[in-house]
Amino acid sequence: LPLPQRLARYVIDGTKEGLFADLDAALATMTPLDIINGPLMDGMNEVGRLFNNNELIVAEVLQSAEVMKAAVAYLERFMEKSETANKGRVLLATVKGDVHDIGKNLVDIILSNNGYEVVNLGIKVPPEQLIQACREVKPDLIGLSGLLVKSAQQMVVTAEDLRAAGIRVPLLVGGAALTKKFTLTRIAPQYEGPVLYAKDAMEGLDLANKLLD
Ligand code: B1M
């Protein structure tokens, strides 16, 4: 198989055998982010399709997730890091009821490498925990991730709860089940502060920079 297809295959098959050598080979011509957004994401999307068709079970998808995480962790050391620190503090979480964290952790890596201090609260974070952390951390931006359809609704509830707690720190939202339209028509009206939608981690960084730089 050609290199890009091989890289997608590691994710689809959930195997790391040969992965790191092939990542090194890919790094000769591609940036770490292009490798993640290209062949590795292609693999993940295929996993999602197979899972949807009942051709993969959860345990197999977990193995694919492990490979994706290992690849991202390996590639992180080759990413460009900005020298400027302290562009702002970001509180990051996957919303209540949702365990998907690969995309959120990618946002963490990219923001951290570009001068932001990120406090990552992890997965399944209920609004109360977010509100509590907000008071302690005093972030300049709150980032919410969610991949399930029900997570989009959970973001609406989270925005309402944050507003009720008097919080108006800008919100950055992202994740597969979300759209810009849903963000603007359903989440934003429930919140006092600005609400921004990012389709991927890089756009998240761009939006954070526009807002806080
Ligand atoms: Co699940 N899962 N999963 N899963 N899983 C999806 C999301 C699904 C679409 C698969 C499918 O059926 N085709 C489907 C959702 C259906 C729906 O609601 N419409 C699904 C389901 C159903 C489930 C379970 C319910 C399955 C079950 O138990 N029966 C269950 C849910 C558990 C729960 O959350 N309560 C479940 C569990 C799992 C695993 C644990 C096995 C595993 C997650 C492991 C982990 O994350 N640690 C898993 C995986 C791996 C997937 C798929 C295959 C891949 C997700 C992924 O990591 N993509 C996924 C199918 C798919 O997405 N194609 C699927 C790679 C990642 C880099 O992309 O997270 O989208 P993503 O992030 C992107 C953008 O979305 C954006 O930037 C990133 C790119 O740069 N982004 C942000 C994300 N967050 C952002 C935040 C931002 C900005 C941008 O600012 C703050």
Side-chain angles (χ1 to χ4, degrees):
L1 281 180
L3 184 55
Q5 276 96 313
R6 281 211 303 279
L7 288 169
R9 264 284 140 210
Y10 292 113
V11 176
I12 299 165
D13 295 343
T15 171
K16 291 181 205 161
E17 248 188 83
L19 169 69
F20 301 109
D22 272 347
L23 287 175
D24 283 336
L27 281 166
T29 55
M30 294 170 84
T31 68
L33 260 188
D34 288 340
I35 300 172
I36 294 170
N37 290 331
L40 296 176
M41 274 304 261
D42 290 346
M44 257 313 185
N45 287 332
E46 178 63 6
V47 170
R49 195 188 65 80
L50 292 170
F51 185 45
N52 217 11
N53 292 347
N54 294 317
E55 290 174 55
L56 287 179
I57 57 169
V58 171
E60 291 169 317
V61 181
L62 258 179
Q63 280 192 308
S64 296
E66 280 307 313
V67 173
M68 184 77 175
K69 284 187 175 194
V72 171
Y74 184 77
L75 291 170
E76 188 189 351
R77 74 197 73 173
F78 301 103
M79 288 182 190
E80 275 180 47
K81 291 181 181 61
S82 102
E83 297 300 317
T84 43
N86 258 335
K87 282 203 227 163
R89 201 176 292 158
V90 181
L91 196 58
L92 198 59
T94 297
V95 294
K96 180 178 173 183
D98 195 325
V99 304
H100 298 88
D101 67 354
I102 298 175
K104 167 184 66 67
N105 291 342
L106 198 56
V107 173
D108 183 346
I109 289 172
I110 286 171
L111 290 178
S112 300
N113 283 343
N114 286 280
Y116 291 91
E117 182 192 334
V118 178
V119 179
N120 190 334
L121 297 178
I123 58 173
K124 297 203 275 186
V125 177
E128 315 81 73
Q129 190 189 341
L130 205 62
I131 291 164
Q132 177 70 27
C134 220
R135 292 189 172 131
E136 286 164 17
V137 171
K138 302 194 172 33
D140 302 294
L141 181 70
I142 300 173
L144 298 178
S145 177
L147 264 67
L148 302 171
V149 166
K150 69 171 187 186
S151 300
Q153 188 53 40
Q154 183 56 46
M155 291 203 190
V156 176
V157 173
T158 304
E160 281 169 358
D161 288 357
L162 288 170
R163 179 175 68 176
I167 292 164
R168 41 170 94 185
V169 176
L171 276 187
L172 176 71
V173 297
L178 220 58
T179 60
K180 189 166 195 167
K181 187 171 171 217
F182 186 92
T183 304
L184 294 178
T185 60
R186 301 288 309 283
I187 306 176
Q190 306 306 324
Y191 198 60
E192 286 257 337
V195 184
L196 311 165
Y197 166 79
K199 70 171 188 322
D200 58 30
M202 266 326 270
E203 192 174 312
L205 173 65
D206 287 343
L207 290 169
N209 283 342
K210 284 199 185 103
L211 201 69
L212 303 175
D213 229 4

